[in-house]
């Protein structure tokens, strides 16, 4: 009888070790989490940009804005570096506006704000007196028109 109980307990302990679908599912996600943690430790900057969408949107917008501002400064003869710095700041603002959750619920206002900030940046980078205000007004009107054409009609 003792041998029978020992054999049953041994068989039961072996049966508990057999991988079930739930254990396989759990071990898959544990391995996946371990990979993500190792990646985060090896590449902290990439992980930060991947986890924080606002930082990513601002960085991408700043890159695009720096390029547009540099070209504007070059064409307007007001300085490439000055235009790039102004464009980077306004581009980061545009990136944050485009990624805002509240603005995603109001697409026409998002297009209006995007056009206004982009026009302000381009006008400011051109270096002319009164150009930032005019650029913001023109950009806002273009953004409003595109927003209405895209979302309202």
């Amino acid at each position: 009888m003792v041998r029978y109980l020992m054999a049953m307990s041994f068989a039961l302990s072996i049966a508990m070790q057999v991988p079930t679908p739930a254990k396989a599912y759990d071990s898959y996600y544990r391995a996946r989490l371990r990979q993500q943690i190792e990646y985060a430790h090896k590449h902290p900057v990439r992980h930060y940009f991947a986890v924080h969408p606002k930082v990513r949107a601002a960085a991408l917008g700043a890159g695009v804005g720096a390029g547009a501002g540099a070209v504007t400064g070059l064409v307007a003869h007001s300085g490439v570096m000055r235009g790039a710095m102004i464009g980077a700041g306004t581009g980061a603002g545009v990136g944050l506006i485009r990624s805002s959750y509240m603005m995603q619920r109001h697409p026409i206002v998002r297009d209006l704000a995007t056009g206004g900030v982009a026009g302000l940046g381009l006008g400011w980078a051109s270096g002319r007196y009164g150009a930032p205000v005019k650029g913001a007004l023109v950009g806002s009107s273009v953004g409003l028109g595109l927003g209405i054409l895209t979302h309202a009609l």
Side-chain angles (χ1 to χ4, degrees), residues 9-27:
S9 65
F10 181 71
L12 187 60
S13 66
I14 294 295
M16 295 295 286
Q17 300 300 320
V18 174
T20 61
K23 286 187 179 183
Y25 183 81
D26 187 43
S27 65

Side-chain angles (χ1 to χ4, degrees), residues 39-149:
Y39 179 82
H41 286 298
K42 288 179 187 174
H43 307 285
V45 174
R46 287 189 210 165
H47 182 71
Y48 183 75
F49 284 118
V51 171
H52 299 286
K54 300 294 182 204
V55 175
R56 182 176 183 268
L60 289 174
V64 172
V71 169
T72 303
L74 180 68
V75 170
H77 301 290
S78 64
V80 175
M81 245 356 242
R82 177 182 182 271
M85 288 190 300
I86 292 170
T90 56
V94 168
L96 289 174
I97 288 170
R98 300 300 294 179
S99 70
S100 171
Y101 293 119
M102 189 170 95
M103 289 293 193
Q104 286 177 2
R105 287 181 265 160
H106 306 287
I108 296 174
V109 177
R110 181 184 62 201
D111 292 339
L112 174 85
T114 299
V117 172
L120 174 76
L122 289 174
W124 193 8
S126 71
R128 307 273 191 260
Y129 180 75
V133 175
K134 292 176 188 175
L137 290 174
V138 170
S140 295
S141 62
V142 168
L144 179 63
L146 286 175
I148 288 175
L149 284 176

